[in-house]
Amino acid sequence: MNPSGDRIAWLQGGDAKCVKPRPFPTSPLHLVLLGPPGVGKGTQAELIVAACGACQLSTGDIFRNAAKGGSGAPPSPAMATALAAMRRGELVSDDTVVELVRERSAECLNCERGFLLDGFPRTAEQARSLDGMLSQLNRKLDGVINYFAPENLIIERLSGRRVCRKCRTGYHVANKPSKVSGVCDACGGELMQRDDDKPEAIRTRLQAYAATCNPVLDHYRKQGLLHEIEASGDPKSVFAKTSVVLNKLAPAS
Ligand code: AP5
């Protein structure tokens, strides 16, 4: 995924300043995207961003940005621990992730264009912390979308994913191939496989997800915020189902 516009402030973390949001013709949406690794959250996030203008805030992107050197400064001890866990395909501790999101809350969770949280919260503890941060800002979630698909399809999506080393644009060897094999269409950079998309890490990630997802889903189900979407079709057809939910949450003005 290509970190563009004001998402750069999200990736820089801390108190990095956001470029001024451009006006967008729909009401701001405050959304959480849930679902197992590889189900297509990032792919749908790109389409939702284009449709409603909210910024995609992916915790996985923060970690990957830090892993490739971030701002150039050495990672903090908490970030170094997070990166080691991620390389093993494990979840990062709740305290670390919550702290990283909290650092950005005054800007990103308070943005007048809304937000699209992708990959956070992953545990009930993170979900409760998010509730606390939003209530301090006097904000509320409009909805939580949970994507699901059969495990064999998820493994196929993860093992075929390729990402540009330079601009982070995402591809899939079969579903979304680049024009020239191994070369990014957008910038000519080299395409690579994420370390956590290798077979051993995929298994660990799916197990880690299965162990933590139900309490998070219950948390939002109880609040009446959860929308479930079956994500085994192509990205366009999954987005058509997503749009039905978005239109209920924020009817076009
Ligand atoms: P993160 O980057 O968030 O990874 P993830 O949740 O595992 O999700 P992915 O990015 O792998 O998958 P996706 O659902 O976005 O799928 P995509 O659209 O790319 O996090 C990485 C790691 O960071 C975690 O494992 C964890 O260690 C750590 N972490 C992050 N947040 C954390 C938190 N809050 N707490 C603790 N730890 C945290 O699609 C996958 C592929 O399929 C692509 O190639 C795509 O082209 C293809 N595809 C997508 N949709 C379709 C479709 N409909 N049809 C055909 N192909 C499709």
Side-chain angles (χ1 to χ4, degrees):
M1 227 140 295
N2 190 4
S4 59
D6 44 7
R7 222 153 66 86
I8 288 168
W10 169 255
L11 294 180
Q12 284 171 342
D15 54 5
K17 288 286 163 238
C18 179
V19 298
K20 279 295 144 219
R22 61 181 190 275
F24 216 81
T26 59
S27 334
L29 276 172
H30 306 89
L31 297 177
V32 168
L33 301 190
L34 299 177
V39 74
K41 300 178 296 295
T43 301
Q44 291 303 308
E46 274 190 39
L47 298 169
I48 299 172
V49 167
C52 78
C55 220
Q56 179 200 359
L57 308 177
S58 155
T59 37
D61 281 348
I62 294 183
F63 296 133
R64 279 186 290 280
N65 190 54
K68 71 173 175 95
S71 59
S76 65
M79 181 56 92
T81 312
L83 293 175
M86 217 181 114
R87 269 193 296 273
R88 295 191 297 270
E90 293 166 6
L91 286 183
V92 179
S93 82
D94 288 338
D95 288 351
T96 305
V97 187
V98 167
E99 199 39 49
L100 292 166
V101 175
R102 196 183 300 284
E103 280 182 354
R104 295 297 311 156
S105 62
E107 283 262 344
C108 293
L109 299 186
N110 209 18
C111 179
E112 62 192 66
R113 280 168 59 179
F115 58 76
L116 186 53
L117 282 167
D118 164 14
F120 179 87
R122 280 187 199 235
T123 64
E125 183 56 41
Q126 293 180 19
R128 285 190 288 272
S129 299
L130 176 62
D131 287 350
M133 285 185 249
L134 290 175
S135 114
Q136 276 181 359
L137 295 166
N138 220 2
R139 298 244 175 230
K140 279 199 168 112
L141 288 177
D142 296 302
V144 175
I145 300 180
N146 179 46
Y147 295 101
F148 63 95
E151 187 170 293
N152 59 344
L153 188 73
I154 285 172
I155 293 173
E156 191 263 321
R157 285 184 184 173
L158 283 175
S159 33
R161 174 165 55 190
R162 298 293 180 271
V163 183
C164 174
R165 227 178 251 290
K166 242 161 99 186
C167 74
R168 316 304 297 170
T169 300
Y171 296 87
H172 187 280
V173 288
N175 305 332
K176 192 187 165 196
S178 57
K179 288 186 192 120
V180 178
S181 169
V183 180
C184 177
D185 294 347
C187 76
E190 184 195 355
L191 301 189
M192 53 164 270
Q193 186 172 36
R194 274 168 46 175
D195 282 344
D196 62 350
D197 282 347
K198 301 203 168 132
E200 216 21 66
I202 289 180
R203 257 190 301 280
T204 317
R205 285 167 78 192
L206 290 175
Q207 282 162 3
Y209 174 78
T212 57
C213 67
N214 284 330
V216 182
L217 296 175
D218 284 345
H219 181 87
Y220 290 122
R221 199 175 282 119
K222 277 186 205 142
Q223 296 184 14
L225 289 170
L226 192 66
H227 300 265
E228 304 262 12
I229 293 184
E230 211 281 334
S232 52
D234 63 25
K236 239 171 122 180
S237 69
V238 179
F239 184 63
K241 296 185 206 173
T242 304
S243 300
V244 172
V245 173
L246 297 185
N247 285 330
K248 277 191 211 150
L249 298 177
S253 47

